Each structure stands twice: as C-alpha cells, then as structure tokens.
Amino acid sequence: MHVVTNYHVVREIGPQDLQVVFLDGGKDDDLPKREVLKGEVVGTDPFTDTAVIRVFSSGKRLVPMHPLPLGESAALEVGQSVYAIGNPFGLDHSMSKGIISGKSRTLDIGERPIQGCIQTDASINPGNSGGPLLDAAGRVIGVNTAILTASGTSAGVGLAIPVDTVKRNVELILKQGFVSRGFLGITFAPDGISDALQIPGIIVFSVVSNSPAEKAGVRPMLNGTIGDVITTLDEKPVRAGADIFKLLDKRAP
C-alpha cells in the first residue's frame, strides 16, 4: 500500500524513523482504534513537494483502510466548496471547510515554481501539509502544501498542489523512482529587470555548463551586457520565468 504526502514532511525523517499512524473512530460508543505501521519512502519530487511512502503491514489489520476516490483538478471552479483534512497543531484528523478562492496560482518554494496550485480559504495550518483537499463529493482534488502569509503566522492563503499534477508525478515515482522533466540549463534574470529595461522577454542571466542551452549556443549576460533574450517557447510568447516552467512542465525529456 502507498501513501502520498509532501516532500517537506518526510525530508528530515530517518529511514528507520518513518511511521504512519491510522485511526478509526468507529461508532460513538467505541474507543478509537489506533495502529502504527512502518513506512518507507519510495521516491520524492522536491520540485512539486511530493513524496510517496510504502506502508508495511503484516497479519490482521486493526484499522480498516478505504482509499479516497480521486477527482480532477482541471475543471475546478472558483467558489465551489472544498474540505481540508489534516492534523493542524497536532490535532488529529481535523477538517476545515471553505471554497476555492483562486486557480492556477504559482508557488515559488525552490529552484522551480509549482504551477497551477489551488488557492483556498479553508483553514490550513502547520500539520495540514500532505493532507487531502476534497471536493463536495469527497474526491481528492489536491494535496495541501503551504500557507502564503505576510505576517509569518498561520494567517494567510492556503495553497494545494492540484491532483492532476500529483497523479502524474506519483505514477512516474512508482514506475521509475523519480520524476523526469524538461531541463534547459538556464538561469533567468529577475523579471523586474526585463520590465525596467522594456525588454519583451526573459533575459538569460547564466547558462549551466554542459547543459542543453550551452550546447545550443545560448549566450548569457557578460560584464553587465545583455546576451540572449527568450521571447517564445514552442511558438508561444513568454514574458516571465514562470511562463517557461509552465510550458516545460508539459513536455517530457
């Protein structure tokens, strides 16, 4: 059996320390059943904050498990009801309700931004990471992953990785242990520089050695002099670095 969670949830856990806890509340007059099973990380994708865990079980199970049905995130609409499940602040199996307040958000948490994130006003706090975001029919439409906040507290906008992205990446992790994706080998200058210089495209700041971009002859900035500027990719105009990644994510190497 496999469980999907966030990469940042498991990245600092040792191989021998990973455990998965299952709870079953049962009927009102029953005491909750609790079962702790050993887990092993099968593979991760830091670029989309995704991790797949294999759960080991032997003998009779104390807690029955029922996988949640998967929905689709491509057809989601702003305003529809959603539910976030997780363990905020250690409060097991908590649920919060809200709506989809935005779509196609970009979450910049590393070298490569996560595209197409779902924005929700459902309460998401530390401990919700890796939990499912459900639609009104109980289908998984995303994986809760982050809070955007200006105050540094838990008050802010919740973001979830869309389930369409998660499904594609989990399939690759289970098949080959990692996610393969297109790579140019280019570092871009901040978008604000292009805007300030009124350059309609993306300025190439540096080129990775022995990368596809270097082999193709792409020229970076040198001593303050602008080299190449990317204006289109696959005949589609690009104005920001996020545009490049959005198009690259649709291609396989």
XYZ file of all heavy atoms in Angstrom, residues 57-163:
744
model
N 2.589 -3.806 6.182
C 1.584 -4.374 7.065
C 1.665 -5.894 7.024
O 1.884 -6.488 5.968
C 0.181 -3.922 6.636
O -0.801 -4.534 7.434
N 1.530 -6.506 8.178
C 1.545 -7.967 8.248
C 0.451 -8.431 9.200
O 0.170 -7.781 10.210
C 2.904 -8.482 8.740
O 3.189 -7.977 10.030
N -0.180 -9.547 8.860
C -1.222 -10.085 9.714
C -2.521 -9.312 9.604
O -2.748 -8.537 8.665
N -3.377 -9.470 10.582
C -4.686 -8.848 10.572
C -4.589 -7.373 10.901
O -3.904 -6.974 11.842
C -5.601 -9.551 11.584
C -7.033 -9.052 11.556
C -7.894 -9.808 12.548
C -9.328 -9.297 12.540
N -10.163 -10.024 13.506
N -5.286 -6.561 10.127
C -5.273 -5.115 10.345
C -6.235 -4.727 11.455
O -7.363 -5.215 11.525
C -5.672 -4.386 9.060
C -4.685 -4.546 7.904
C -3.334 -3.968 8.266
N -3.460 -2.680 8.914
C -3.658 -1.542 8.252
N -3.729 -1.540 6.953
N -3.770 -0.403 8.915
N -5.788 -3.836 12.335
C -6.644 -3.325 13.391
C -7.571 -2.233 12.877
O -8.702 -2.085 13.336
C -5.790 -2.778 14.542
C -4.877 -3.779 15.258
C -4.057 -3.056 16.320
C -5.705 -4.896 15.880
N -7.070 -1.460 11.928
C -7.831 -0.340 11.381
C -8.074 -0.580 9.892
O -7.113 -0.689 9.122
C -7.080 0.994 11.578
C -7.857 2.141 10.943
C -6.842 1.266 13.059
N -9.316 -0.682 9.473
C -9.586 -0.853 8.039
C -9.264 0.422 7.272
O -9.419 1.523 7.799
C -11.086 -1.152 7.998
C -11.632 -0.516 9.241
C -10.548 -0.646 10.276
N -8.788 0.256 6.042
C -8.423 1.410 5.224
C -9.249 1.433 3.955
O -9.467 0.402 3.323
C -6.930 1.367 4.890
C -6.036 1.689 6.075
S -4.311 1.584 5.645
C -4.138 -0.167 5.363
N -9.687 2.623 3.596
C -10.501 2.797 2.398
C -9.911 3.965 1.601
O -10.086 5.122 1.997
C -11.952 3.085 2.769
C -12.545 2.082 3.718
N -12.941 0.833 3.307
C -12.775 2.140 5.044
C -13.416 0.168 4.347
N -13.317 0.941 5.418
N -9.233 3.694 0.507
C -8.635 4.782 -0.290
C -9.700 5.765 -0.770
O -10.799 5.364 -1.168
C -7.988 4.043 -1.467
C -7.788 2.647 -0.982
C -8.926 2.366 -0.049
N -9.378 7.038 -0.707
C -10.302 8.065 -1.181
C -10.332 8.084 -2.703
O -9.296 7.894 -3.357
C -9.858 9.439 -0.672
C -10.021 9.702 0.823
C -9.297 10.979 1.218
C -11.488 9.796 1.185
N -11.488 8.321 -3.303
C -11.552 8.438 -4.766
C -10.839 9.702 -5.230
O -10.825 10.711 -4.519
C -13.052 8.502 -5.051
C -13.656 9.045 -3.789
C -12.813 8.501 -2.671
N -10.257 9.640 -6.412
C -9.547 10.782 -6.963
C -10.442 11.553 -7.922
O -11.135 10.971 -8.753
C -8.282 10.323 -7.700
C -7.240 9.575 -6.865
C -6.044 9.210 -7.732
C -6.795 10.406 -5.669
N -10.417 12.867 -7.794
C -11.150 13.722 -8.706
C -10.227 14.271 -9.784
O -9.168 13.714 -10.064
N -10.630 15.366 -10.380
C -9.828 16.052 -11.386
C -9.730 17.521 -10.993
O -10.704 18.115 -10.526
C -10.449 15.916 -12.774
C -10.511 14.485 -13.290
C -11.113 14.408 -14.671
O -11.581 15.463 -15.173
O -11.122 13.314 -15.264
N -8.557 18.085 -11.186
C -8.374 19.490 -10.804
C -8.491 20.447 -11.986
O -8.628 21.651 -11.794
C -7.013 19.672 -10.122
O -5.970 19.101 -10.886
N -8.478 19.927 -13.204
C -8.505 20.804 -14.381
C -9.829 21.552 -14.510
O -9.872 22.677 -15.003
C -8.237 19.994 -15.646
N -10.930 20.916 -14.055
C -12.254 21.502 -14.262
C -12.787 22.229 -13.033
O -13.976 22.559 -12.976
C -13.238 20.415 -14.688
N -11.948 22.482 -12.046
C -12.418 23.143 -10.826
C -12.848 24.581 -11.117
O -12.329 25.226 -12.025
C -11.313 23.139 -9.774
C -10.862 21.769 -9.272
C -9.705 21.928 -8.294
C -12.008 21.011 -8.619
N -13.803 25.057 -10.313
C -14.311 26.414 -10.485
C -14.148 27.206 -9.191
O -14.327 26.664 -8.097
C -15.793 26.393 -10.876
C -16.085 25.729 -12.213
C -15.576 26.528 -13.393
O -15.264 27.731 -13.203
O -15.476 25.952 -14.498
N -13.818 28.481 -9.332
C -13.740 29.360 -8.167
C -15.121 29.452 -7.526
O -16.130 29.630 -8.202
C -13.247 30.760 -8.584
C -13.344 31.733 -7.414
C -11.811 30.687 -9.092
N -15.177 29.282 -6.212
C -16.427 29.370 -5.472
C -16.981 28.032 -5.027
O -17.846 27.996 -4.150
N -16.486 26.915 -5.601
C -17.033 25.630 -5.181
C -16.462 25.224 -3.832
O -15.346 25.597 -3.465
C -16.780 24.558 -6.234
C -15.366 24.049 -6.352
C -15.249 22.967 -7.420
O -15.212 23.235 -8.612
N -15.177 21.715 -6.972
N -17.246 24.462 -3.091
C -16.882 24.088 -1.721
C -15.756 23.059 -1.709
O -15.709 22.160 -2.563
C -18.095 23.511 -0.991
O -19.111 24.478 -0.851
N -14.851 23.204 -0.742
C -13.760 22.246 -0.559
C -13.570 21.998 0.928
O -13.985 22.791 1.776
C -12.439 22.746 -1.176
C -12.520 22.777 -2.694
C -12.060 24.112 -0.629
N -12.908 20.882 1.230
C -12.664 20.481 2.609
C -11.207 20.062 2.744
O -10.710 19.274 1.947
C -13.582 19.316 3.000
C -15.048 19.630 2.827
C -15.663 19.514 1.586
C -15.805 20.076 3.900
C -17.007 19.815 1.417
C -17.159 20.377 3.748
C -17.750 20.250 2.494
O -19.077 20.560 2.335
N -10.531 20.588 3.757
C -9.132 20.252 4.018
C -9.040 19.364 5.249
O -9.637 19.678 6.296
C -8.300 21.515 4.226
N -8.321 18.244 5.114
C -8.147 17.312 6.222
C -6.672 17.259 6.602
O -5.795 17.282 5.737
C -8.652 15.904 5.850
C -10.152 15.939 5.583
C -8.347 14.899 6.943
C -10.727 14.616 5.166
N -6.408 17.195 7.895
C -5.022 17.104 8.354
C -4.949 17.069 9.859
O -5.946 16.821 10.545
N -3.753 17.345 10.376
C -3.519 17.354 11.824
C -2.963 18.718 12.239
O -1.819 18.816 12.697
C -2.528 16.263 12.222
C -3.021 14.870 11.900
O -4.202 14.650 11.696
N -2.101 13.920 11.848
N -3.736 19.797 12.079
C -3.196 21.114 12.424
C -2.822 21.204 13.893
O -3.623 20.875 14.766
C -4.354 22.059 12.070
C -5.578 21.211 12.137
C -5.139 19.853 11.676
N -1.574 21.633 14.143
C -1.060 21.783 15.510
C -1.189 20.488 16.309
O -1.360 20.511 17.537
C -1.781 22.927 16.236
C -1.728 24.229 15.509
C -2.877 24.763 14.921
C -0.542 24.919 15.365
C -2.836 25.966 14.232
C -0.482 26.126 14.677
C -1.629 26.648 14.112
N -1.135 19.341 15.611
C -1.197 18.052 16.281
C -2.589 17.577 16.636
O -2.738 16.559 17.316
N -3.617 18.289 16.206
C -4.999 17.890 16.479
C -5.423 16.888 15.408
O -5.784 17.260 14.296
C -5.919 19.116 16.486
C -5.558 20.185 17.528
C -6.423 21.429 17.357
C -5.709 19.623 18.939
N -5.408 15.600 15.779
C -5.599 14.521 14.812
C -6.916 14.628 14.055
O -7.961 14.922 14.620
C -5.566 13.160 15.525
C -4.171 12.835 16.028
O -3.219 13.449 15.534
O -4.055 11.983 16.935
N -6.815 14.324 12.749
C -7.990 14.171 11.894
C -8.951 15.354 12.002
O -10.130 15.189 12.304
C -8.716 12.852 12.208
C -7.962 11.657 11.709
N -6.685 11.377 12.101
C -8.308 10.687 10.834
C -6.264 10.267 11.506
N -7.234 9.831 10.724
N -8.437 16.537 11.757
C -9.264 17.738 11.755
C -9.720 18.053 10.334
O -9.015 17.777 9.363
C -8.483 18.932 12.307
O -8.131 18.726 13.660
N -10.906 18.638 10.220
C -11.444 19.026 8.924
C -11.840 20.497 8.967
O -12.391 20.979 9.956
C -12.663 18.182 8.557
C -13.382 18.651 7.298
S -14.886 17.706 6.929
C -14.162 16.192 6.311
N -11.543 21.213 7.893
C -11.993 22.595 7.762
C -12.667 22.762 6.410
O -12.343 22.067 5.443
C -10.813 23.575 7.899
O -9.827 23.320 6.906
N -13.625 23.666 6.350
C -14.405 23.878 5.137
C -14.164 25.262 4.582
O -13.962 26.222 5.332
C -15.889 23.697 5.427
C -16.792 23.926 4.219
C -18.278 23.817 4.586
C -19.159 24.106 3.377
N -20.605 24.048 3.706
N -14.163 25.370 3.263
C -14.009 26.662 2.614
C -14.419 26.564 1.157
O -15.156 25.666 0.771
N -13.911 27.484 0.368
C -14.172 27.475 -1.070
C -12.856 27.590 -1.830
O -11.814 27.925 -1.253
C -15.094 28.631 -1.495
C -14.405 29.980 -1.210
C -16.444 28.536 -0.809
C -15.109 31.160 -1.834
N -12.902 27.280 -3.100
C -11.767 27.578 -3.967
C -11.808 29.076 -4.241
O -12.771 29.587 -4.810
C -11.848 26.784 -5.283
C -11.686 25.287 -5.005
C -10.782 27.264 -6.262
C -11.828 24.421 -6.237
N -10.794 29.775 -3.806
C -10.772 31.225 -3.973
C -9.863 31.678 -5.112
O -9.783 32.864 -5.414
C -10.343 31.905 -2.662
O -9.199 31.283 -2.110
N -9.183 30.731 -5.739
C -8.344 31.071 -6.893
C -7.776 29.815 -7.522
O -7.684 28.761 -6.880
N -7.424 29.904 -8.797
C -6.852 28.772 -9.517
C -5.571 29.209 -10.217
O -5.283 30.394 -10.353
C -7.837 28.235 -10.568
C -9.163 27.766 -10.028
C -9.945 27.003 -11.097
C -10.164 27.857 -12.337
N -10.877 27.107 -13.391
N -4.820 28.222 -10.644
C -3.610 28.455 -11.446
C -2.637 29.393 -10.760
O -2.026 30.253 -11.398
C -3.985 28.991 -12.838
O -4.804 28.067 -13.525
N -2.503 29.244 -9.439
C -1.527 30.049 -8.697
C -0.138 29.412 -8.835
O -0.011 28.196 -9.020
C -1.903 30.135 -7.226
C -3.285 30.706 -6.950
C -3.482 32.056 -7.575
N -4.686 32.703 -7.091
C -5.284 33.712 -7.703
N -4.799 34.175 -8.846
N -6.379 34.264 -7.189
N 0.882 30.238 -8.710
C 2.259 29.771 -8.767
C 2.865 29.851 -7.377
O 2.837 30.904 -6.743
C 3.089 30.611 -9.757
O 2.541 30.490 -11.068
C 4.541 30.133 -9.786
N 3.399 28.723 -6.904
C 4.032 28.664 -5.586
C 5.528 28.527 -5.776
O 6.014 27.527 -6.302
C 3.487 27.480 -4.788
C 4.109 27.224 -3.411
C 3.940 28.439 -2.509
C 3.501 25.998 -2.766
N 6.266 29.544 -5.368
C 7.710 29.568 -5.560
C 8.386 29.170 -4.251
O 8.568 29.985 -3.350
C 8.158 30.963 -5.982
C 9.562 30.980 -6.571
O 10.239 29.932 -6.513
O 9.989 32.028 -7.086
N 8.762 27.877 -4.139
C 9.364 27.390 -2.896
C 10.765 26.828 -3.112
O 11.372 26.295 -2.199
C 8.495 26.305 -2.241
C 8.292 25.123 -3.194
C 7.166 26.865 -1.795
C 7.588 23.947 -2.551
N 11.291 26.962 -4.308
C 12.616 26.401 -4.576
C 13.140 26.848 -5.915
O 12.838 27.954 -6.396
N 13.945 25.982 -6.541
C 14.549 26.344 -7.811
C 13.523 26.425 -8.935
O 13.729 27.132 -9.916
C 15.620 25.302 -8.187
C 16.754 25.193 -7.182
C 17.730 24.114 -7.569
O 17.690 23.657 -8.725
O 18.542 23.727 -6.715
N 12.448 25.700 -8.797
C 11.458 25.625 -9.861
C 10.072 25.808 -9.259
O 9.669 25.049 -8.383
C 11.576 24.269 -10.551
C 10.799 24.141 -11.850
C 11.270 22.889 -12.568
N 10.613 22.712 -13.844
C 11.187 22.157 -14.901
N 12.435 21.746 -14.817
N 10.526 22.005 -16.020
N 9.294 26.807 -9.699
C 7.992 27.057 -9.086
C 6.997 25.946 -9.394
O 7.064 25.294 -10.436
C 7.554 28.386 -9.720
C 8.286 28.447 -11.020
C 9.600 27.771 -10.777
N 6.053 25.735 -8.460
C 4.976 24.777 -8.671
C 3.839 25.514 -9.366
O 3.329 26.520 -8.861
C 4.493 24.180 -7.343
C 5.659 23.518 -6.595
C 3.381 23.158 -7.582
C 5.279 23.005 -5.225
N 3.433 25.001 -10.530
C 2.418 25.670 -11.330
C 1.028 25.122 -11.036
O 0.856 23.983 -10.625
C 2.740 25.473 -12.819
C 4.137 25.898 -13.229
C 4.337 27.396 -13.204
O 3.373 28.159 -13.218
N 5.579 27.841 -13.178
N 0.029 25.954 -11.274
C -1.355 25.513 -11.243
C -1.920 25.218 -9.875
O -2.894 24.457 -9.753
N -1.357 25.791 -8.807
C -1.829 25.482 -7.457
C -3.247 25.997 -7.226
O -3.692 26.972 -7.829
C -0.890 26.086 -6.418
S 0.719 25.281 -6.326
N -3.943 25.308 -6.314
C -5.305 25.673 -5.940
C -5.246 26.573 -4.709
O -4.635 26.218 -3.704
C -6.140 24.424 -5.621
C -6.150 23.466 -6.822
C -7.565 24.803 -5.228
C -6.668 22.083 -6.483
N -5.877 27.729 -4.794
C -5.946 28.637 -3.653
C -7.275 28.429 -2.934
O -8.335 28.365 -3.569
C -5.843 30.090 -4.117
C -5.992 31.119 -3.005
C -6.027 32.536 -3.538
O -5.496 32.815 -4.616
N -6.666 33.435 -2.819
N -7.226 28.304 -1.619
C -8.450 28.074 -0.853
C -8.441 28.887 0.427
O -7.375 29.180 0.986
C -8.621 26.578 -0.510
O -9.789 26.415 0.286
C -7.428 26.041 0.266
N -9.647 29.247 0.874
C -9.746 29.921 2.169
C -10.086 28.933 3.283
O -10.290 29.338 4.429
C -10.784 31.050 2.122
C -12.214 30.545 1.949
O -12.390 29.346 1.646
O -13.146 31.354 2.092
N -10.153 27.632 2.950
C -10.283 26.623 4.002
C -9.061 26.707 4.906
O -7.938 26.864 4.428
C -10.402 25.227 3.396
N -9.270 26.622 6.207
C -8.180 26.803 7.160
C -7.099 25.732 6.982
O -7.366 24.536 7.103
C -8.733 26.757 8.588
O -7.695 26.928 9.521
N -5.881 26.170 6.648
C -4.728 25.285 6.515
C -3.637 25.813 7.433
O -3.246 26.979 7.332
C -4.232 25.217 5.057
C -5.289 24.541 4.171
C -2.909 24.463 4.963
C -4.907 24.480 2.706
N -3.155 24.953 8.318
C -2.171 25.347 9.320
C -1.044 24.323 9.364
O -1.127 23.272 8.719
C -2.841 25.449 10.698
C -3.830 26.585 10.782
O -3.454 27.748 10.806
N -5.126 26.253 10.813
N 0.048 24.608 10.110
C 1.101 23.599 10.263
C 0.514 22.283 10.776
O -0.177 22.254 11.783
C 2.035 24.240 11.297
C 1.861 25.708 11.102
C 0.415 25.893 10.750
N 0.761 21.214 10.053
C 0.164 19.924 10.367
C -0.833 19.477 9.315
O -1.179 18.305 9.222
N -1.293 20.437 8.487
C -2.164 20.097 7.364
C -1.374 19.627 6.144
O -1.946 19.022 5.232
C -3.027 21.291 6.955
C -4.265 21.459 7.827
O -4.339 22.379 8.626
N -5.219 20.564 7.664
N -0.092 19.911 6.111
C 0.721 19.568 4.950
C 0.637 18.079 4.638
O 0.773 17.228 5.517
C 2.194 19.943 5.187
O 2.347 21.337 5.260
N 0.421 17.769 3.369
C 0.338 16.381 2.940
C -1.047 15.799 3.018
O -1.296 14.699 2.512
N -1.976 16.519 3.660
C -3.350 16.042 3.758
C -4.130 16.361 2.502
O -3.738 17.218 1.700
N -5.268 15.688 2.307
C -6.029 15.894 1.084
C -6.922 17.130 1.133
O -7.424 17.525 2.186
C -6.891 14.627 1.003
C -7.109 14.239 2.435
C -5.842 14.619 3.150
N -7.109 17.734 -0.039
C -8.138 18.742 -0.250
C -9.238 18.058 -1.050
O -8.986 17.521 -2.134
C -7.581 19.948 -1.009
C -8.547 21.129 -1.182
C -8.802 21.807 0.156
C -7.986 22.134 -2.189
N -10.454 18.041 -0.503
C -11.560 17.290 -1.088
C -12.610 18.219 -1.678
O -12.795 19.346 -1.193
C -12.230 16.415 -0.020
C -11.330 15.530 0.847
C -12.157 14.838 1.913
C -10.595 14.512 -0.007
N -13.310 17.727 -2.711
C -14.479 18.456 -3.196
C -15.710 18.002 -2.421
O -15.622 17.169 -1.504
C -14.644 18.287 -4.712
C -14.935 16.839 -5.125
O -15.199 15.995 -4.249
O -14.874 16.572 -6.344
N -16.886 18.505 -2.784
C -18.097 18.215 -2.023
C -18.517 16.758 -2.128
O -19.289 16.275 -1.295
C -19.234 19.122 -2.504
N -17.997 16.034 -3.133
C -18.317 14.616 -3.294
C -17.308 13.719 -2.596
O -17.395 12.491 -2.706
C -18.390 14.257 -4.775
N -16.351 14.316 -1.866
C -15.364 13.525 -1.143
C -14.214 13.032 -1.997
O -13.457 12.161 -1.570
N -14.038 13.608 -3.186
C -12.933 13.213 -4.068
C -11.718 14.101 -3.815
O -11.855 15.301 -3.577
C -13.366 13.317 -5.528
C -14.478 12.359 -5.907
C -15.038 12.678 -7.274
N -15.627 14.008 -7.316
C -16.618 14.353 -8.134
N -17.133 13.466 -8.967
N -17.096 15.587 -8.125
N -10.546 13.508 -3.893
C -9.307 14.267 -3.696
C -9.051 15.124 -4.927
O -8.950 14.623 -6.045
C -8.111 13.323 -3.462
C -6.832 14.141 -3.273
C -8.353 12.432 -2.257
N -8.943 16.443 -4.724
C -8.656 17.345 -5.832
C -7.311 18.046 -5.662
O -6.862 18.763 -6.557
C -9.760 18.400 -5.995
C -9.945 19.192 -4.692
C -11.069 17.732 -6.415
C -10.871 20.384 -4.832
N -6.658 17.824 -4.508
C -5.365 18.446 -4.289
C -4.718 17.939 -3.016
O -5.341 17.223 -2.221
N -3.457 18.317 -2.827
C -2.712 17.981 -1.613
C -2.295 19.292 -0.950
O -1.558 20.094 -1.545
C -1.474 17.125 -1.931
C -0.663 16.877 -0.659
C -1.883 15.797 -2.559
N -2.777 19.529 0.273
C -2.462 20.762 0.993
C -0.951 20.868 1.212
O -0.325 19.914 1.671
C -3.173 20.780 2.347
C -4.664 20.550 2.210
O -5.296 21.060 1.304
N -5.229 19.761 3.127
N -0.390 22.032 0.908
C 1.066 22.094 0.961
C 1.647 23.340 1.595
O 2.741 23.295 2.134
C 1.660 21.934 -0.460
O 3.059 21.737 -0.371
C 1.369 23.160 -1.320
N 0.948 24.493 1.561
C 1.610 25.713 2.026
C 0.606 26.784 2.416
O -0.574 26.734 2.056
C 2.535 26.259 0.939
N 1.110 27.756 3.169
C 0.354 28.955 3.520
C 1.164 30.162 3.040
O 2.358 30.258 3.337
C 0.145 29.081 5.035
C -0.480 27.808 5.609
C -0.719 30.286 5.370
C -0.431 27.767 7.120
N 0.523 31.044 2.305
C 1.151 32.308 1.948
C 0.730 33.343 2.977
O -0.460 33.624 3.134
C 0.729 32.752 0.543
C 1.182 31.872 -0.625
C 0.773 32.505 -1.947
C 2.685 31.656 -0.597
N 1.696 33.893 3.689
C 1.381 34.837 4.753
C 2.391 35.975 4.769
O 3.579 35.776 4.501
C 1.376 34.136 6.131
O 1.215 35.113 7.161
C 2.666 33.371 6.374
N 1.900 37.159 5.060
C 2.774 38.324 5.159
C 3.220 38.573 6.583
O 4.157 39.327 6.832
C 2.057 39.565 4.617
N 2.539 37.921 7.541
C 2.818 38.184 8.953
C 3.761 37.161 9.571
O 4.236 37.352 10.686
C 1.506 38.195 9.746
O 0.895 36.914 9.699
N 4.018 36.050 8.852
C 4.847 35.000 9.409
C 4.083 34.057 10.315
O 4.638 33.117 10.864
N 2.771 34.294 10.479
C 1.937 33.423 11.280
C 1.157 32.491 10.357
O 1.365 32.467 9.158
C 0.964 34.249 12.132
O 0.032 34.910 11.264
C 1.711 35.297 12.949
N 0.226 31.734 10.932
C -0.579 30.801 10.141
C -1.749 31.481 9.450
O -2.545 30.824 8.791
C -1.097 29.661 11.028
O -0.007 28.927 11.552
N -1.886 32.793 9.618
C -2.967 33.519 8.956
C -2.526 33.875 7.543
O -1.552 34.589 7.347
C -3.302 34.785 9.746
N -3.256 33.366 6.568
C -2.874 33.652 5.197
C -3.713 32.864 4.219
O -4.823 32.423 4.534
N -3.178 32.675 3.031
C -3.874 31.983 1.954
C -3.340 30.561 1.845
O -2.126 30.345 1.800
C -3.666 32.739 0.622
C -4.266 31.953 -0.538
C -4.273 34.124 0.697
N -4.234 29.581 1.821
C -3.827 28.196 1.692
C -3.671 27.799 0.243
O -4.455 28.215 -0.620
N -2.663 26.991 -0.036
C -2.421 26.503 -1.392
C -2.294 24.987 -1.377
O -1.732 24.407 -0.448
C -1.152 27.118 -1.986
C -1.177 28.627 -2.257
C 0.186 29.084 -2.760
C -2.257 28.982 -3.259
N -2.823 24.359 -2.415
C -2.755 22.905 -2.561
C -2.233 22.560 -3.946
O -2.543 23.246 -4.924
C -4.134 22.279 -2.346
N -1.432 21.499 -4.020
C -0.948 21.005 -5.309
C -2.110 20.307 -6.008
O -2.772 19.452 -5.407
C 0.215 20.022 -5.121
C 1.320 20.658 -4.283
C 0.770 19.567 -6.465
C 2.371 19.678 -3.833
N -2.407 20.644 -7.254
C -3.551 20.026 -7.938
C -3.361 18.531 -8.118
O -2.253 18.059 -8.373
C -3.595 20.764 -9.280
C -2.214 21.292 -9.477
C -1.694 21.602 -8.109
N -4.458 17.783 -7.995
C -4.370 16.325 -8.029
C -3.919 15.823 -9.407
O -3.286 14.767 -9.508
C -5.717 15.691 -7.630
C -6.762 15.860 -8.727
C -5.540 14.220 -7.281
